[in-house]
């Protein structure tokens, strides 16, 4: 029987609540599909700061590196917001593990599920658009990591930088994925102002020459933010830099009803990491009401991208669709007439439909 080792980093806020549901789903899928998952827990983020004084302990990095995949909840919260930036859960934990694993491509698929039409805030001509798009966010460079960075009493400095190698790598990823979808890539940048974007666009054009079957278009990020709201159905694959991808993917999640529905896969050199695109949601943490579907769908992406367990991945996404079709709704995706269930009941509803 095939056996896989999974590093489980539940993190902070709603992380542990939604992770618990994802693990139960995974356990059941493994049994149904005939493979074994060995879960090993590690600390990250605020939980790690509280337990051992650092947001990313060495043991967690070691665990990640000797695992087949990493499943992450979320990090951060008001408790740790006063720490120096590099010690906080976000920089010291999440960005640090992204760097350690060289996670360069972050895939954030957004889909408006049948039955959730009411939640889509955009209805051009009174009709709910068909939304099925994928943000391919560059995750290892840009303004998140560019040097120098500095914070003094009177000045905060970040550097937005892209090099040819980093852009080439993310473009290949986007074009390859587009081949499996509708063969359209929209590259989003700010090439009318930023040098880093001028290079970005140049490299996008160069790489596109190797993919003559895929159509490449370019859009400035300000327009893209508007077009996502005016006419979201025009998009299929959006490839963009680290900061723009962070912002546009949250915006696109709203088109499908909630951030609680948006999974992600972060692809690296060797070990990939899977996490919901949203955060630790301190406003609802500890109440048992968070939507576990982003975490559960991230687990499905893990089966697909890291373990090659395609049937298991399909089983999960179909079970999610069935649970939604059968009317299960957490608060964030509940319409005016829906009955609202909690995190556990939603997890259970998915499990029963595997
Ligand atoms: P957030 O994504 O945590 O929450 C934004 C809104 O979406 C909130 O109203 C929240 O309740 C809702 N939401 C998010 N996930 C949900 C779910 N599964 N079910 C139902 N509702 C959900 O963003 P924020 O409030 O800006 O940030 C809170 C903390 O999370 C901060 O410390 C931030 O740095 C951190 N954060 C972490 C990650 C990550 O670990 N990947 C991502 C984003 C933000
Ligand atoms: C995300 C988050 C992170 C990011 C933060 C918490 C560092 O917002 O994964 O989208 O900006 O990448
Ligand atoms: Mn974000």
């Amino acid at each position: 029987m095939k056996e896989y080792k999974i590093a489980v980093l539940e993190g902070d806020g709603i992380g542990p609540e939604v992770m618990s549901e994802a693990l139960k789903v995974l356990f059941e899928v493994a049994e149904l599909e005939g493979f074994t998952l060995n879960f090993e827990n590690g600390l990250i983020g605020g939980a790690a700061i509280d337990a051992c004084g650092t947001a990313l302990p060495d043991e967690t990095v070691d665990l990640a590196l000797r695992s087949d995949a990493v499943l992450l909840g979320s990090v951060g919260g008001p408790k740790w917001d006063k720490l120096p930036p590099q010690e906080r859960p976000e920089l010291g934990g999440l960005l640090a593990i992204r760097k350690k694993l060289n996670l360069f491509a972050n895939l954030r698929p957004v889909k408006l599920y049948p039955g959730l039409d009411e939640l889509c805030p955009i209805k051009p001509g009174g009709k709910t658009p068909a939304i099925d798009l994928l943000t391919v966010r560059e995750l290892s460079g840009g303004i998140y990591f560019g040097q120098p960075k500095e914070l003094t009493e009177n000045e905060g400095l970040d550097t937005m930088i892209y090099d040819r190698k980093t852009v080439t790598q993310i473009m290949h990823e986007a074009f390859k994925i587009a081949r499996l979808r509708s063969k359209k890539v929209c590259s989003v940048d700010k090439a009318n102002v930023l040098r880093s974007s001028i290079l970005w666009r140049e490299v996008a054009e160069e790489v596109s020459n190797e993919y003559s079957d895929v159509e490449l278009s370019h859009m400035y990020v300000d327009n893209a933010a508007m077009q996502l709201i005016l006419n979201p159905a025009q998009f299929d694959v959006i490839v963009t830099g680290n900061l723009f991808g962070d912002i546009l993917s949250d915006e696109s999640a709203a088109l499908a009803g909630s951030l609680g529905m948006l999974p992600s896969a972060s692809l690296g050199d060797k070990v990939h990491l899977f996490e919901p695109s949203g955060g630790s949601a301190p406003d609802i943490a500890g109440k048992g009401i968070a939507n576990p579907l982003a975490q559960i769908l991230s687990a499905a992406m893990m089966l697909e991208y890291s373990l090659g367990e395609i049937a298991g991945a399909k089983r999960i996404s179909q079970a999610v669709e069935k649970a939604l079709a059968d009317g299960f709704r957490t608060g964030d995706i509940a319409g005016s007439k829906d009955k609202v269930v909690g995190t556990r009941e939603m997890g259970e509803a998915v499990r029963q439909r595997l």
Side-chain angles (χ1 to χ4, degrees):
M1 196 190 288
K2 277 197 191 150
E3 263 192 54
Y4 307 101
K5 184 176 178 66
I6 310 299
V8 176
L9 317 180
E10 51 185 33
D12 308 316
I14 60 169
E17 299 166 52
V18 292
M19 182 66 84
S20 160
E21 297 314 310
L23 294 184
K24 284 186 266 181
V25 167
L26 280 173
F27 195 76
E28 184 104 4
V29 169
E31 200 153 290
L32 289 164
E33 292 291 334
F35 58 87
T36 302
L37 294 174
N38 298 313
F39 299 120
E40 189 173 332
N41 289 293
L43 289 166
I44 194 169
I49 294 173
D50 290 352
C52 47
T54 165
L56 185 65
D58 290 343
E59 301 84 74
T60 301
V61 178
D62 291 345
L63 167 65
L65 289 171
R66 58 188 163 76
S67 298
D68 293 300
V70 181
L71 191 61
L72 174 71
S74 50
V75 302
K79 183 175 176 191
W80 306 282
D81 281 348
K82 294 267 160 358
L83 290 171
Q86 68 280 7
E87 291 174 25
R88 288 183 204 160
E90 293 86 347
L91 271 70
L94 189 55
L95 294 201
I97 198 167
R98 285 178 185 167
K99 209 48 181 180
K100 290 273 184 203
L101 301 180
N102 192 20
L103 304 174
F104 63 89
N106 183 219
L107 314 183
R108 297 188 160 184
V110 170
K111 198 166 125 179
L112 182 59
Y113 284 90
L116 295 189
D117 281 18
E118 195 191 337
L119 298 175
C120 177
I122 308 304
K123 298 194 171 29
K127 264 185 64 189
T128 308
I131 293 165
D132 187 357
L133 62 92
L134 174 74
T135 304
V136 179
R137 171 188 177 194
E138 198 292 314
L139 201 63
S140 64
I143 199 167
Y144 274 57
F145 294 99
Q147 292 295 339
K149 284 190 180 293
E150 211 173 281
L151 179 60
T152 62
E153 197 185 330
N154 294 314
E155 209 174 63
L157 168 72
D158 292 283
T159 302
M160 191 183 258
I161 180 162
Y162 267 116
D163 58 40
R164 186 167 286 279
K165 182 168 164 262
T166 308
V167 184
T168 303
Q169 191 176 31
I170 195 72
M171 287 300 161
H172 279 292
E173 206 59 46
F175 282 108
K176 278 188 211 144
I177 291 174
R179 276 191 169 152
L180 307 171
R181 298 176 53 108
S182 69
K183 299 196 169 71
K184 268 169 51 182
V185 171
C186 178
S187 170
V188 171
D189 62 34
K190 186 73 185 170
N192 49 350
V193 176
L194 302 175
R195 271 85 171 169
S196 52
S197 281
I198 295 175
L199 180 87
W200 178 278
R201 197 175 275 221
E202 209 176 283
V203 175
E205 283 292 334
E206 271 170 30
V207 175
S208 81
N209 292 331
E210 296 175 44
Y211 300 84
S212 53
D213 53 329
V214 179
E215 182 193 315
L216 171 68
S217 62
H218 302 279
M219 201 180 274
Y220 297 133
V221 63
D222 46 353
N223 185 28
M226 181 181 73
Q227 292 296 333
L228 266 173
I229 287 177
L230 280 183
N231 178 13
Q234 73 185 284
F235 294 105
D236 189 52
V237 174
I238 293 176
V239 62
T240 190
N242 210 337
L243 180 61
F244 301 156
D246 179 45
I247 298 167
L248 294 180
S249 61
D250 266 33
E251 187 186 344
S252 64
L255 299 172
S258 167
L259 207 42
M261 299 289 297
L262 189 66
S264 89
S266 300
L267 309 181
D269 294 336
K270 193 170 150 273
V271 184
H272 309 324
L273 179 147
F274 302 84
E275 59 165 332
S277 299
S280 57
D283 52 334
I284 56 167
K287 298 184 179 158
I289 59 172
N291 187 344
L293 295 183
Q295 188 77 60
I296 290 170
L297 291 166
S298 299
M301 291 185 91
M302 177 181 85
L303 295 187
E304 180 181 346
Y305 286 91
S306 278
L307 312 187
E309 294 288 349
I310 309 296
K314 264 215 180 100
R315 230 186 239 277
I316 297 181
S317 44
Q318 284 170 355
V320 166
E321 278 190 33
K322 278 188 215 148
L324 290 169
D326 289 343
F328 287 85
R329 301 280 187 275
T330 43
D332 58 316
I333 52 168
S336 42
K337 296 183 204 89
D338 290 322
K339 176 178 170 273
V340 175
V341 302
T343 309
R344 269 204 220 152
E345 287 161 280
M346 185 58 115
E348 175 66 22
V350 173
R351 248 174 3 262
Q352 282 170 354
R353 288 162 179 76
L354 291 167

